[in-house]
Amino acid sequence: VRFPPCVVRLPFPTKTPLLCASSSRPDTMRLFGRSKNTKQSKPAPVNTTQAIQGTQASIELLEKRKVFLQKKIDNEMLEVKKLVAAKNKRGAMMALKRKKTFEQQLEKTEGAQLTLMRQVNAIEDASTNRQVLETLHTGTQAMKTVHGGMTIDDVENIREDMEEQIDISNEISEAISQPFGQFDMDDDELSKELEEFEQQEMEKDQLNVERPMHVKPVATTAVAEGLPSVPVGQPVLSAEEQELKDLEAEMAM
C-alpha cells in the first residue's frame, strides 16, 4: 500500500517543500536523523594476533615519544640553570613552563602506554581462555562420543556376566582336579599297620646291638699304597734339606 507524500509546512517561507518519511519506504530519510529501519553493517571479525601486534606497535611508538620528551625535559632543565646563572628570571620562567609542559605530556604518554600494556595482557588472557574453553569443549564431545553407547546398566550387566563366568571356570577347574576312582581309607587300619612296621624295626635294632661286630684293621694309607712308612712326629725333609743336615753333622764332628 503506497501513501501519498505529505508536505511539511514550516513557519518560514521556503522554495523547496519538505517531504515527511513514508511508511512504505523504509529507506526514506527522516526530517531529524536516519530512519530506525536502516540496517547497520556488522563489524568484521578481528584477528587476535593482528590486534596484539598492532597494540605492541603503538606501545613501541609511545616508548620512542617518551625518550623524545625526556630529552626535551633535560634540555629545558639545562636552559633553566643557564638562565638562572645569567640572572634572566623571565627566560628561566619560560623555560621552566616548557619543562612542566613536557613533563605533563610525558606523564600522559606513560599512562597511555600502561593502558595499552594492560590491553595486550587482557587480549592474551582472553585468547588463552578461549583456547582452553575450546579444548574443554572438544574433550567433552569426545567423552560423549565414547560414552554414547555405554550406560551404567550395561556396565553392571557385563560385570555380573563376568563374575558368573569366573565362578563357572572355577567349578570346572575344581572338578577336573579331582582324581578318578577315589575310595575311602580307614584311619584305624592304617594306624595298626604303622605300629606293626615300627615294632619290626625295633626288633631289628635289638638284634644288631646284641650281635658283636668284627672290624678289620685298616692299613694306613702309606702301607696300602706301597709307600715307605714315615716315622710319626718327625717332619719330612726334602733332598736339599737332608744334604744340608748331613753337612752340618759332619762339620760338628
Side-chain angles (χ1 to χ4, degrees):
V1 179
R2 294 182 176 273
F3 297 94
C6 59
V7 179
V8 178
R9 295 182 180 181
L10 299 176
F12 51 87
T14 179
K15 294 181 180 181
T16 303
L18 298 176
L19 300 179
C20 62
S22 176
S23 59
S24 62
R25 298 182 63 187
D27 56 343
T28 304
M29 296 294 293
R30 291 179 177 269
L31 180 61
F32 303 100
R34 290 181 174 272
S35 174
K36 294 184 179 180
N37 295 330
T38 57
K39 296 182 179 179
Q40 297 180 356
S41 60
K42 295 182 179 180
V46 180
N47 189 358
T48 304
T49 305
Q50 294 178 355
I52 293 176
Q53 292 177 352
T55 307
Q56 290 178 347
S58 299
I59 292 173
E60 293 177 358
L61 181 62
L62 292 176
E63 185 66 26
K64 294 179 181 179
R65 180 169 176 77
K66 284 171 57 180
V67 174
F68 172 76
L69 292 174
Q70 187 62 47
K71 290 181 179 180
K72 288 288 186 180
I73 293 171
D74 295 339
N75 293 334
E76 293 298 334
M77 191 63 190
L78 293 175
E79 187 70 18
V80 170
K81 292 179 179 180
K82 291 179 181 180
L83 294 173
V84 169
K87 305 297 182 180
N88 189 353
K89 185 177 180 181
R90 184 173 181 180
M93 288 293 295
M94 292 299 296
L96 191 60
K97 287 181 180 180
R98 291 194 299 270
K99 174 180 171 294
K100 291 293 183 183
T101 302
F102 290 142
E103 287 178 350
Q104 291 177 357
Q105 293 179 1
L106 179 61
E107 184 178 358
K108 292 179 181 179
T109 303
E110 290 177 347
Q113 188 181 30
L114 181 61
T115 301
L116 292 178
M117 288 180 178
R118 290 176 178 175
Q119 186 178 18
V120 170
N121 294 333
I123 294 173
E124 291 176 349
D125 291 341
S127 178
T128 303
N129 293 335
R130 180 177 179 179
Q131 292 179 359
V132 172
L133 183 61
E134 290 177 354
T135 304
L136 292 174
H137 178 70
T138 303
T140 303
Q141 294 299 325
M143 293 180 66
K144 288 182 179 180
T145 303
V146 173
H147 295 158
M150 187 185 306
T151 61
I152 300 298
D153 295 335
D154 295 337
V155 175
E156 292 295 334
N157 293 333
I158 293 173
R159 184 183 180 87
E160 291 177 359
D161 294 340
M162 183 177 64
E163 292 178 353
E164 183 178 357
Q165 294 301 320
I166 290 174
D167 294 337
I168 294 173
S169 178
N170 292 333
E171 291 177 0
I172 293 173
S173 299
E174 185 177 357
I176 293 174
S177 62
Q178 295 294 332
F180 294 96
Q182 187 177 10
F183 57 92
D184 295 335
M185 296 183 182
D186 190 1
D187 293 340
D188 296 337
E189 185 178 354
L190 293 175
S191 298
K192 184 178 180 180
E193 184 177 353
L194 180 60
E195 290 177 357
E196 292 178 356
F197 179 76
E198 291 177 351
Q199 185 66 28
Q200 292 176 1
E201 292 296 327
M202 290 176 64
E203 291 177 355
K204 289 181 180 180
D205 293 338
Q206 289 178 359
L207 292 175
N208 292 331
V209 170
E210 293 176 356
R211 182 182 301 169
M213 297 180 66
H214 301 282
V215 180
K216 290 183 178 182
V218 180
T220 60
T221 305
V223 176
E225 295 180 357
L227 299 175
S229 61
V230 180
V232 180
Q234 295 182 1
V236 180
L237 301 177
S238 63
E240 295 179 356
E241 292 176 347
Q242 186 65 36
E243 291 178 1
L244 181 60
K245 186 176 181 181
D246 293 341
L247 183 59
E248 289 177 355
E250 290 177 0
M251 292 178 65
M253 293 174 61

